[in-house]
Amino acid sequence: MNSNSEDLDSPPSPIPLDDDASQETAASMQTMEDHHPDHVVHGGHPDEGPMEDEIVDRSDDPDADEKATVLKDEGNTALAQGHFLEAIKSYSDGLEYRPHNAVLLSNRSLAFIKVENYGIAIRDADAAIAADANYAKGYYRRASANFALNHFKVARKDFKAVCKLQPTSRDARTKLAACEKRIREEAFSKAIEAEQTAPLSSTYDPSVLDISATTYEGPHPSPHGLLTDMDAEVALFEPGKLPREFVLAAVETMKAQKSIHKRYVGRLLIACKRYFESLETLMEIPIPTAAPSHDPSATPRLTVCGDTHGQYYDVLHVFERNGFPHRTNPYLFNGDFVDRGSFSVEVILTYLLFKLHDPSCIYLTRGNHETKNMNRIYGFEGEAKHKYDDKIFNLFLEVFEWLPLAAVVGGKVFVTHGGLPTDDTVMLDDVRKVKRGMEPPEQGLMSDLLWSDPQPFPGKSPSKRGVGYAFGPDITSAFLERNGLSLLVRSHEVKEEGYLVEHGGKTITVFSAPNYCDSMGNKGAYIHFDASLEPKFTQYTAVPHPDVKPMAYAAGMGGMF
């Protein structure tokens, strides 16, 4: 098996159904978007997305084997095309005919991994192993899901089992070695932290990078061109001082697939880290009182976007439609700026450039992908090191650690990337007190805000992702009521229509990466909030981008996911 494939080299032990599940790689995913015209929707409730994973036992059906095979093949086709929710449904339907079939369980586990539902993927892998203890892929899927959850020692045990069952598999040995490497890196990081070394941002000096000795043809922050006075250059990167002309020129440079010089990127990241340190964990964002300067006829509004996941050309499409960030046209981007898409560097640099130009023109909340482990798995680490170097990547991580975790818009709308805490005593003041400057723990308030998802039934449940919780409409209503709020806006999940309204209209999910990973075929959406705080939705479809596939920089581990 090559490093990007999902299956193992040698065939597994005999099983009731052929295991010809997806052999897809990021490079082979097909673009399914039809590029329908953009349109605006006011209000509305798109249909629910994923189906429930409960299984009805139809194993007594006389054609059960044949029907299970057909559904497995349908699931494999959907998986290969990147239609992960369709694949999950087909495998689930097949499991009604063969509830304990290791292949169907393992294939569905893979599909759940693809949509980052690692908790339920582990459950399916457990069931596959229980059905056939010699089935290598069951261990492989379980290891992959645990790897994504940062449970490297648990994953190592299963990768060792795969190597024992499939001793000729190069892929299994490669993944085991990668797992061993992460365990060593984790131990090293803890040792470094114990020594309390100074953060890189306090020692890194961009001034030593001589732009004049390079062939750099990109923009300079000073209108006078390259500066020799380093103090004057540093001053340009203070919040509110970065010239808009430089920011817009940088956007055009990156759009043309050219780079901003590393010296300027270093200055940007150091300045942003220090600026975010000064902010509260919970932002208070007002609705503008003036119309957007680019469209005086429009109602004053704030634009809220969900995940953009490195889809730079779709971000630019939003700016083309809705105007660039400006104090009269502010945006709130609700986490997951990076990973998956292979233009993540351009996306996050654009947001940070606008932030330093004018902090009131753009607001950023942290997502679960603004974290070290997710960046290692889903491509941003490889991309940042490819386009710049390891020090720049580490500066990005420092910035991510200090991003705010939530916002209150207009005093009434609570915005956070994942979801709500399930503790029924949490108040907004508790959110304000959450400690930042760190990677998120597996449990607690920060984890809930970054990882949790809504569920349609009351109460709370363990998350299908394996981190955080699923929270019901009663939890949403109680949180909003005790904090004097009216609405929750969150992101974190692909939605076919780009958004979903649920919990009796009190929870909105907004997702702004159309045709996610060049394969999902979903629309993107953003929300306008004016003084009425009534959400108005705009949907749009994906636009073409340069021929660089999603996860192009995932450095081998991308094939696992």
Side-chain angles (χ1 to χ4, degrees):
M1 172 177 170
N2 63 49
S3 62
N4 289 323
S5 178
E6 292 293 348
D7 285 3
L8 302 173
D9 264 338
S10 49
S13 55
I15 46 179
L17 299 177
D18 293 335
D19 186 16
D20 52 1
S22 165
Q23 291 281 349
E24 90 281 13
T25 65
S28 66
M29 290 182 177
Q30 299 176 10
T31 301
M32 305 300 291
E33 182 63 64
D34 291 329
H35 299 290
H36 297 300
D38 297 329
H39 59 287
V40 179
V41 179
H42 298 280
H45 296 253
D47 293 335
E48 292 284 347
M51 41 72 67
E52 293 300 316
D53 58 354
E54 298 176 358
I55 298 173
V56 177
D57 190 346
R58 305 181 192 275
S59 56
D60 290 338
D61 189 297
D63 299 320
D65 281 336
E66 180 180 349
K67 291 178 179 178
T69 300
V70 170
L71 288 163
K72 177 206 57 146
D73 292 342
E74 290 178 359
N76 292 348
T77 298
L79 192 64
Q81 294 175 340
H83 300 161
F84 305 131
L85 299 182
E86 291 179 20
I88 289 168
K89 185 177 188 312
S90 294
Y91 294 140
S92 298
D93 290 346
L95 284 163
E96 293 183 358
Y97 295 98
R98 284 293 175 257
H100 305 293
N101 183 268
V103 175
L104 284 166
L105 288 162
S106 175
N107 290 2
R108 190 172 70 169
S109 177
L110 171 58
F112 278 124
I113 289 171
K114 292 292 187 181
V115 294
E116 299 182 17
N117 284 343
Y118 306 120
I120 196 169
I122 290 171
R123 190 196 70 180
D124 274 359
D126 285 342
I129 292 166
D132 184 351
N134 294 317
Y135 186 50
K137 288 186 182 177
Y139 297 96
Y140 189 93
R141 305 305 183 212
R142 190 167 68 184
S144 300
N146 273 306
F147 188 98
L149 292 171
N150 217 11
H151 301 159
F152 301 130
K153 292 182 179 179
V154 178
R156 176 175 61 182
K157 182 178 179 180
D158 278 336
F159 281 131
K160 285 182 176 179
V162 176
C163 290
K164 184 176 180 180
L165 290 166
Q166 302 286 349
T168 62
S169 170
R170 294 187 304 274
D171 179 76
R173 294 194 300 273
T174 298
K175 296 303 190 292
L176 175 60
C179 197
E180 297 277 14
K181 180 181 178 183
R182 292 297 167 83
I183 291 171
R184 292 193 300 271
E185 290 174 345
E186 191 175 54
F188 180 74
S189 295
K190 289 180 179 178
I192 292 296
E193 289 171 7
E195 295 175 4
Q196 296 183 331
T197 55
L200 178 62
S201 58
S202 68
T203 60
Y204 186 79
D205 183 10
S207 300
V208 302
L209 301 171
D210 186 0
I211 298 179
S212 64
T214 71
T215 58
Y216 179 64
E217 297 179 351
H220 299 281
S222 170
H224 305 296
L226 180 62
L227 294 177
T228 56
D229 182 343
M230 292 298 96
D231 290 338
E233 185 174 282
V234 169
L236 287 171
F237 284 87
E238 293 178 3
K241 300 292 183 62
L242 197 62
R244 187 173 181 85
E245 294 75 16
F246 170 64
V247 175
L248 295 175
V251 168
E252 289 301 312
T253 297
M254 292 186 288
K255 180 180 179 181
Q257 295 186 274
K258 299 177 181 178
S259 296
I260 306 305
H261 196 276
K262 185 164 61 175
R263 187 165 96 191
Y264 298 146
V265 172
R267 295 218 188 282
L268 174 73
L269 295 176
I270 292 169
C272 283
K273 189 252 186 173
R274 292 172 180 165
Y275 174 72
F276 286 124
E277 279 182 308
S278 72
L279 298 183
E280 298 288 337
T281 298
L282 177 67
M283 298 180 288
E284 300 282 348
I285 303 176
I287 300 297
T289 56
S293 58
H294 74 282
D295 184 7
S297 64
T299 303
R301 81 288 174 100
L302 170 77
T303 302
V304 178
C305 295
D307 304 34
T308 47
H309 275 300
Q311 297 187 198
Y312 188 51
Y313 296 85
D314 293 310
V315 171
L316 296 182
H317 178 57
V318 171
F319 291 160
E320 289 167 3
R321 291 175 49 84
N322 193 60
F324 279 102
H326 188 272
R327 63 174 51 245
T328 64
N329 189 40
Y331 284 80
L332 167 56
F333 284 93
N334 193 28
D336 281 11
F337 322 125
V338 302
D339 283 337
R340 296 286 193 175
S342 293
F343 303 95
S344 294
V345 165
E346 289 80 4
V347 169
I348 185 60
L349 286 182
T350 294
Y351 297 166
L352 296 179
L353 285 164
F354 275 110
K355 190 66 179 175
L356 280 197
H357 161 61
D358 183 349
S360 67
C361 81
I362 191 167
Y363 302 89
L364 306 174
T365 56
R366 189 179 190 179
N368 65 299
H369 276 268
E370 279 70 58
T371 55
K372 182 189 299 183
N373 189 54
M374 300 300 277
N375 295 165
R376 285 176 167 176
I377 294 170
Y378 289 103
F380 182 63
E381 178 181 29
E383 182 184 346
K385 290 182 177 180
H386 174 81
K387 293 177 179 178
Y388 290 101
D389 58 26
D390 57 344
K391 291 183 178 180
I392 292 296
F393 171 65
N394 286 324
L395 289 174
F396 273 120
L397 292 179
E398 288 192 37
V399 172
F400 293 165
E401 288 181 346
W402 285 101
L403 288 169
L405 298 178
V408 173
V409 172
K412 287 292 184 179
V413 180
F414 185 73
V415 183
T416 192
H417 177 71
L420 296 178
T422 55
D423 182 340
D424 60 9
T425 67
V426 170
M427 303 295 291
L428 291 181
D429 276 345
D430 297 305
V431 177
R432 292 187 181 97
K433 294 174 184 175
V434 174
K435 181 181 178 182
R436 291 173 295 150
M438 59 188 290
E439 290 299 304
E442 290 195 12
Q443 295 180 330
L445 186 48
M446 181 188 289
S447 175
D448 289 345
L449 295 171
L450 294 180
W451 280 95
S452 292
D453 296 297
Q455 64 183 21
F457 45 88
K460 72 174 183 178
S461 304
S463 172
K464 292 181 179 180
R465 298 177 187 269
V467 184
Y469 290 92
F471 57 95
D474 56 328
I475 291 176
T476 300
S477 293
F479 176 85
L480 295 176
E481 183 176 351
R482 70 176 177 267
N483 285 289
L485 302 167
S486 60
L487 181 66
L488 165 66
V489 175
R490 41 88 63 180
S491 303
H492 196 39
E493 291 181 282
V494 183
K495 297 300 178 184
E496 185 176 351
E497 295 299 317
Y499 72 99
L500 180 67
V501 182
E502 52 193 327
H503 289 181
K506 294 183 178 181
T507 296
I508 295 174
T509 298
V510 59
F511 193 83
S512 303
N515 195 27
Y516 183 43
C517 291
D518 286 358
S519 61
M520 295 290 280
N522 60 289
K523 295 182 177 69
Y526 53 83
I527 309 172
H528 282 158
F529 285 104
D530 59 23
S532 72
L533 296 180
E534 186 71 25
K536 298 178 178 63
F537 303 93
T538 298
Q539 297 170 289
Y540 53 94
T541 54
V543 296
H545 63 73
D547 189 20
V548 183
K549 304 300 182 184
M551 301 277 285
Y553 302 96
M557 296 311 293
M560 189 187 298
F561 306 101

